[in-house]
Amino acid sequence: DARVTQTPRHKVTEMGQEVTMRCQPILGHNTVFWYRQTMMQGLELLAYFRNRAPLDDSGMPKDRFSAEMPDATLATLKIQPSEPRDSAVYFCASALPLGDTEAFFGQGTRLTVV
Amino acid sequence: AQKITQTQPGMFVQEKEAVTLDCTYDTSDPSYGLFWYKQPSSGEMIFLIYQGSYDQQNATEGRYSLNFQKARKSANLVISASQLGDSAMYFCAMRENNAGNMLTFGGGTRLMVKP
């Protein structure tokens, strides 16, 4: 049963700490999305990769956020330093590159920064 | 400008009735795909249905159908015979070929099914 795996599922951290969220896309999917979901802003696209290269990260605050794909089986989203306003659910999704195929979502990482 | 607009923040529907969730989109790309996702209270994102810009017929998947009106740039989701388990957030989304097939979401509609 192919699925996108995100770790950790929940993270509570203190303001100023580094946070790393991980995502394992579905094998064979070469397109990866990172989204942030909050009540106020809905689903915001933070970054978008194809073949491990970032195609669009304009939605990501560059001063504290970074996203990478060290290899085809791992995508990471880092926040350093974290702030309370970063509290949200972060979703990773993977897809084939074609526009007529759906993206499959992970279960999300619920981040709380205190 | 918003790429995807869902004008109904919340809706109620009586169990067993049909309901239409609105979605309008903005693109100049002739090649694009439209998607609907369901997010129940448990939080996962569940893909429901897809409509391609070149598709001649409206997409259907079980109780879900998509009312695709290309000239009006609308892609409304119709849920027939609503069930209590349909209570959830529903998101409309689009992938545009000229935007590298990036996936963009609307703000969502919360559907509540009344017994």
Side-chain angles (χ1 to χ4, degrees):
Chain A
D1 183 27
R3 62 180 65 190
V4 176
T5 304
Q6 287 187 249
T7 56
R9 293 288 312 278
H10 303 272
K11 176 74 175 178
V12 180
T13 191
E14 291 186 346
M15 183 173 62
Q17 296 297 305
E18 177 178 300
V19 175
T20 298
M21 290 169 272
R22 293 178 173 80
C23 168
Q24 181 176 3
I26 291 173
L27 194 64
H29 284 186
N30 66 348
T31 302
V32 172
F33 305 93
W34 281 105
Y35 293 92
R36 176 171 62 184
Q37 186 176 31
T38 60
M39 289 292 291
M40 295 300 294
Q41 299 295 329
L43 272 165
E44 302 172 272
L45 179 66
L46 297 176
Y48 165 43
F49 288 79
R50 178 167 305 157
N51 296 323
R52 298 172 52 201
L55 290 192
D56 191 313
D57 60 1
S58 58
M60 197 165 65
K62 300 292 190 306
D63 55 338
R64 298 183 300 107
F65 285 61
S66 63
E68 293 180 341
M69 284 198 73
D71 61 61
T73 64
L74 177 65
T76 62
L77 180 66
K78 289 186 182 179
I79 309 173
Q80 168 63 16
S82 58
E83 297 181 0
R85 60 180 167 151
D86 301 329
S87 298
V89 178
Y90 291 82
F91 284 104
C92 172
S94 74
L96 295 172
L98 304 173
D100 61 353
T101 56
E102 72 270 30
F104 293 81
F105 279 74
Q107 298 275 61
T109 294
R110 181 175 294 277
L111 174 66
T112 303
V113 183
V114 298
Chain B
Q2 287 279 0
K3 285 281 187 181
I4 300 282
T5 302
Q6 295 181 252
T7 57
Q8 306 151 312
M11 288 190 71
F12 284 95
V13 64
Q14 196 68 42
E15 193 178 8
K16 299 187 177 66
E17 297 287 311
V19 63
T20 298
L21 307 183
D22 294 342
C23 173
T24 57
Y25 58 92
D26 180 25
T27 183
S28 57
D29 191 341
S31 178
Y32 53 90
L34 297 158
F35 303 82
W36 278 91
Y37 284 81
K38 173 184 179 181
Q39 187 178 41
S41 58
S42 53
E44 71 261 43
M45 293 287 285
I46 302 167
F47 165 72
L48 295 178
I49 195 167
Y50 161 80
Q51 180 84 44
S53 59
Y54 294 118
D55 292 344
Q56 295 295 312
Q57 293 193 323
N58 288 340
T60 61
E61 287 287 347
R63 294 186 298 111
Y64 304 110
S65 60
L66 207 152
N67 184 0
F68 181 45
Q69 298 187 46
K70 192 170 181 177
R72 298 178 62 182
K73 293 187 176 177
S74 75
N76 299 339
L77 177 69
V78 180
I79 306 175
S80 62
S82 297
Q83 301 173 355
L84 295 178
D86 294 334
S87 295
M89 282 290 289
Y90 289 81
F91 292 95
C92 181
M94 178 170 63
R95 293 183 83 176
E96 297 170 273
N97 186 57
N98 286 347
N101 288 316
M102 188 166 62
L103 183 63
T104 308
F105 282 85
T109 295
R110 181 171 296 281
L111 178 66
M112 291 151 282
V113 181
K114 297 187 289 184

